[in-house]
Amino acid sequence: MAGKEVASGTSNERTKNAAGSPPDTSPVKEKDGENIQTQLQEEYLKSLEQLEEGQLLEGKVVQVTQDQVFVDVGYKSEGKIPLSEFSEVPNIGDLVPVILITKENKHGEVIVSKQKADAKLFWKNLRQAFTDKRSVEGTVEKQVKGGFDVHLGTGVHAFLPVSQADVQKIDKPEKILGKKLNFYVERLYSDGKINIVVNRRKCMEDDLEKRRSDFFTNTPIGSDVTGIVKSFTSFGAFIDLGGFDGLLHINDMSWGHVTRPKDFVKKGQEIKLKVIRIDSDEKRINLSLKHYTDDPWVHFEEKYHVNDVVKGKVTKLTDFGAFIELEEGIEGLAHISEFSWVKKIQKPQDLLKPNDAVECMILGYDLQAGRVSLGLKQVKDNPWETINEKYPVGKRIIRKIVKVTNAGAFIELEDGIDGFLHIDDISWTRKSKNQSGLSTGNEVEVVVISVDAENRNIKLGVKQLSEDPWKDFQDNYKPGSSVEGEVTSKTDFGIFLKVPGGIEGLIHKTNLVENREEDPDAALGRYKVGDKLKAVVLEIQSDKQKTAFSIRDYQKKVQRDELSRYMAKEETSDSTYTLGAVFKPKNTDDTQ
């Protein structure tokens, strides 16, 4: 082909048959025909003169034998090429580049070489690729010091530094050995000698950037893409979309609750996903698996209503409640306050555990926020609504003490419902700072003394099991009445005297002496626990269960009584008397 490095024999085919013979010159009847034949012959001879040895030509395969390939290059005869010069057996009609070695040897044959043509074209393309920064293809044949040996073709080898072999560190060289890959030509010569160095890393980076750019440019939201599951994180899985990654977030794997990404996708799995978000500035791609199905919240109101009792599965427990899945994609929260009518639940774990099947009631929902409020206690009767009928005031029961405090004791009436026994309701007469021996686990008989269902408060009593002795005491004793009792305890300020009926009263130390000159503390020291004493009632406060006694007033009362008796005796006789005689000490010999 004149004017070009590669000459084609196709123009000569018009003047030559498939066997390479000159065109048909048989006589024609018309003179114009003869002129045409002459012109064709002249063009043919001229084309032969244009062929030069060493020229790169394009030949057509006309015959293939067991070891030879015959190609037509537009000369008098076909050129023969050993089949071994072809990487694959060519087909008749294929066009192949060849170098014209000899137009005609001593045997009249055309000598051509495909191997030399390949080498010439290879170097031409290699130089052009180096100049244009285009990639070339080569096969990584072996590992050498510092990198790899790459066969670029036609016996030409290049060096690939290990640092430029991949975008990531190559931990296993065998991963790329024997593979046909693309490279940039970094260098052709060094010190006047052929010394080819190639770079795969830069080629991969440019190719990756082009494919990523094409993706962001040509992929609209909602497109379907196919990728390979590359790796996992706690928040999802990264999907290889062809050298660059997209994120399949854990929340986009299913409309339902997802705990482990590995339950939905497997590493190395090829998977079809939907593009739901693209951020070209940040180079972020969000993918979804769940968007291949309808959002269950769209149909929520068709299936669920407030006050419906539904079944679900516990998916997660928190400090404030439990998340319960009603169906895939529909998850509600049962707050800890909605767990029980009667029990104060401290931790959801005390009542539930993950994967528990539960029955609950829908208390409310918010479609836009995707929230459902659930209650566990609402599927059961509220015992406080019938508490007055079950535990009426005055009812006697025997129950177990579950907790003791400084103020009294909590007594379990039934599961989750406790009554309180205050220390003041243990005994009518006995005051104690240690709850009179109350102990957790012991059973005690009590009576219901009040019920407040609204505030969930039940008061119990022990002393109310018997009659109030203070009432009898107040009926039988008035201030000024004499009593007899036993000293039960001593304090710095007086002594306590227990009188019949179990009533205890205080005799203040100032009421132990007959006159002001006597030392009250000295008088207090004369008494001990267990002493039998007589005293006078000073006051009675039955509502506060308090009373006070006095020995001093008792002694005065005795004196007054004696004076009254003496005066009454003297009035019955004629003798006169004086006041001094009344208080005169008695003689043992005197008669009354």
Side-chain angles (χ1 to χ4, degrees):
M1 184 177 296
K4 294 185 179 180
E5 190 174 359
V6 179
S8 174
T10 56
S11 62
N12 293 329
E13 291 179 9
R14 295 192 299 270
T15 61
K16 178 175 178 290
N17 59 25
S21 302
D24 186 8
T25 57
S26 56
V28 292
K29 294 180 179 180
E30 298 182 1
K31 187 175 181 178
D32 291 340
E34 291 177 356
N35 293 335
I36 292 174
Q37 290 287 4
T38 301
Q39 185 180 356
L40 291 174
Q41 283 181 333
E42 290 176 353
E43 290 179 359
Y44 170 69
L45 292 174
K46 187 177 180 180
S47 67
L48 294 179
E49 292 175 358
Q50 291 176 345
L51 294 177
E52 296 178 2
E53 292 181 354
Q55 186 177 357
L56 182 62
L57 305 174
E58 189 177 66
K60 179 185 289 186
V61 177
V62 294
Q63 186 180 355
V64 179
T65 66
Q66 190 173 358
D67 56 359
Q68 297 281 340
V69 176
F70 294 86
V71 295
D72 178 10
V73 294
Y75 205 59
K76 292 184 292 183
S77 61
E78 294 87 7
K80 292 184 295 183
I81 304 173
L83 184 61
S84 59
E85 291 189 21
F86 291 84
S87 58
E88 295 179 357
V89 178
N91 296 315
I92 294 175
D94 286 352
L95 299 177
V96 294
V98 295
I99 290 290
L100 179 61
I101 305 298
T102 304
K103 288 184 179 182
E104 190 173 345
N105 65 7
K106 61 182 179 178
H107 301 294
E109 298 173 328
V110 175
I111 305 302
V112 295
S113 172
K114 177 181 181 298
Q115 196 171 49
K116 291 183 178 182
D118 288 343
K120 187 172 184 178
L121 285 174
F122 169 81
W123 278 101
K124 176 187 176 183
N125 293 332
L126 188 64
R127 290 189 188 95
Q128 196 65 46
F130 174 72
T131 302
D132 298 342
K133 301 297 182 183
R134 288 188 286 104
S135 64
V136 297
E137 192 174 68
T139 302
V140 181
E141 288 196 339
K142 60 182 177 181
Q143 186 176 11
V144 296
K145 184 179 181 180
F148 301 89
D149 179 74
V150 179
H151 182 215
L152 299 178
T154 67
V156 178
H157 291 259
F159 175 66
L160 171 65
V162 67
S163 61
Q164 307 302 323
D166 204 318
V167 291
Q168 297 178 340
K169 183 179 179 181
I170 296 180
D171 53 349
K172 295 181 180 180
E174 57 269 20
K175 286 183 177 180
I176 66 171
L177 289 177
K179 289 189 176 181
K180 186 175 288 188
L181 306 169
N182 290 322
F183 308 88
Y184 282 146
V185 180
E186 297 262 305
R187 186 175 68 194
L188 288 175
Y189 302 96
S190 177
D191 297 330
K193 296 180 182 180
I194 296 175
N195 187 0
I196 306 174
V197 177
V198 293
N199 186 330
R200 178 174 177 246
R201 180 191 183 104
K202 179 61 175 173
C203 187
M204 292 176 67
E205 289 174 345
D206 288 351
D207 180 64
L208 173 60
E209 185 57 35
K210 181 179 181 303
R211 284 186 281 115
R212 180 189 283 122
S213 179
D214 289 343
F215 185 92
F216 281 102
T217 302
N218 302 319
T219 308
I221 300 296
S223 298
D224 293 334
V225 294
T226 301
I228 304 296
V229 180
K230 180 180 177 181
S231 61
F232 291 98
T233 69
S234 60
F235 53 83
F238 285 104
I239 309 299
D240 184 354
L241 298 175
F244 56 95
D245 296 341
L247 174 63
L248 174 58
H249 196 275
I250 191 171
N251 293 334
D252 295 317
M253 291 182 173
S254 170
W255 293 109
H257 183 79
V258 179
T259 303
R260 296 183 346 128
K262 293 181 180 180
D263 293 338
F264 286 82
V265 292
K266 307 298 179 184
K267 188 173 182 179
Q269 174 187 358
E270 184 177 85
I271 186 170
K272 182 180 177 183
L273 299 164
K274 193 171 287 292
V275 178
I276 57 173
R277 281 181 294 275
I278 290 181
D279 186 340
S280 55
D281 294 333
E282 297 293 331
K283 303 298 182 185
R284 291 179 180 175
I285 304 168
N286 286 82
L287 308 170
S288 174
L289 187 60
K290 72 180 184 182
H291 281 83
Y292 284 107
T293 58
D294 289 339
D295 183 351
W297 286 96
V298 174
H299 309 289
F300 180 86
E301 290 186 316
E302 299 173 8
K303 302 172 63 175
Y304 302 103
H305 309 88
V306 174
N307 295 330
D308 281 356
V309 175
V310 294
K311 292 182 178 179
K313 182 179 71 174
V314 177
T315 58
K316 182 181 178 182
L317 298 176
T318 68
D319 293 339
F320 53 83
F323 286 94
I324 299 172
E325 185 181 61
L326 306 184
E327 63 174 78
E328 183 177 347
I330 301 294
E331 192 174 66
L333 172 66
H335 193 270
I336 194 169
S337 62
E338 305 296 344
F339 277 28
S340 173
W341 289 113
V342 293
K343 291 184 178 179
K344 187 176 181 180
I345 308 298
Q346 301 293 336
K347 296 185 298 182
Q349 292 85 347
D350 294 339
L351 193 66
L352 300 172
K353 60 181 182 298
N355 296 318
D356 276 355
V358 295
E359 197 172 44
C360 50
M361 178 179 287
I362 296 177
L363 305 181
Y365 59 86
D366 184 340
L367 292 180
Q368 290 186 341
R371 294 176 182 172
V372 183
S373 297
L374 304 173
L376 296 174
K377 68 184 182 183
Q378 285 79 5
V379 300
K380 300 177 181 178
D381 292 334
N382 182 359
W384 286 100
E385 293 179 352
T386 57
I387 201 73
N388 287 289
E389 292 79 9
K390 198 168 186 180
Y391 298 99
V393 173
K395 182 175 182 177
R396 293 182 174 221
I397 51 178
I398 298 176
R399 293 291 189 272
K400 186 181 294 185
I401 298 172
V402 292
K403 184 179 180 181
V404 176
T405 70
N406 291 332
F410 288 94
I411 298 174
E412 184 180 56
L413 304 183
E414 58 183 65
D415 187 25
I417 297 183
D418 297 339
F420 187 66
L421 171 62
H422 195 274
I423 188 172
D424 292 339
D425 292 313
I426 295 175
S427 172
W428 290 111
T429 58
R430 186 172 63 251
K431 303 296 182 184
S432 175
K433 294 183 179 180
N434 61 357
Q435 293 80 42
S436 299
L438 295 177
S439 179
T440 301
N442 289 348
E443 287 190 338
V444 61
E445 184 178 13
V446 293
V447 62
V448 178
I449 57 178
S450 72
V451 177
D452 184 352
E454 183 176 352
N455 295 307
R456 300 187 178 186
N457 187 2
I458 300 176
K459 293 183 179 180
L460 307 173
V462 171
K463 71 182 184 182
Q464 288 82 359
L465 293 170
S466 59
E467 293 293 333
D468 183 358
W470 284 94
K471 183 177 183 302
D472 292 337
F473 183 78
Q474 192 171 26
D475 291 343
N476 297 322
Y477 296 92
K478 305 294 181 184
S481 300
S482 298
V483 293
E484 185 175 356
E486 180 180 333
V487 177
T488 56
S489 63
K490 289 180 62 177
T491 68
D492 292 340
F493 52 84
I495 61 177
F496 283 92
L497 187 69
K498 185 176 182 179
V499 299
I503 301 297
E504 275 187 343
L506 173 67
I507 304 178
H508 197 272
K509 63 183 180 181
T510 57
N511 291 319
L512 295 175
V513 297
E514 293 186 24
N515 54 66
R516 294 181 178 179
E517 288 75 17
E518 188 175 357
D519 183 7
D521 290 323
L524 181 63
R526 293 196 295 267
Y527 296 94
K528 61 181 181 298
V529 174
D531 286 352
K532 306 292 185 182
L533 301 176
K534 292 182 179 179
V536 167
V537 177
L538 289 182
E539 64 174 340
I540 300 175
Q541 299 181 50
S542 59
D543 57 332
K544 297 181 179 180
Q545 299 181 0
K546 289 182 179 181
T547 185
F549 303 131
S550 173
I551 291 180
R552 181 182 63 185
D553 287 271
Y554 174 75
Q555 292 173 345
K556 290 181 179 181
K557 181 178 185 302
V558 170
Q559 292 175 0
R560 286 196 301 271
D561 289 346
E562 288 184 355
L563 177 60
S564 296
R565 286 197 301 273
Y566 185 83
M567 293 179 65
K569 180 179 179 182
E570 291 298 327
E571 287 178 357
T572 59
S573 64
D574 295 334
S575 60
T576 62
Y577 67 92
T578 64
L579 187 60
V582 173
F583 295 103
K584 181 182 178 180
K586 293 182 179 181
N587 191 298
T588 54
D589 295 332
D590 292 341
T591 59
Q592 297 183 9

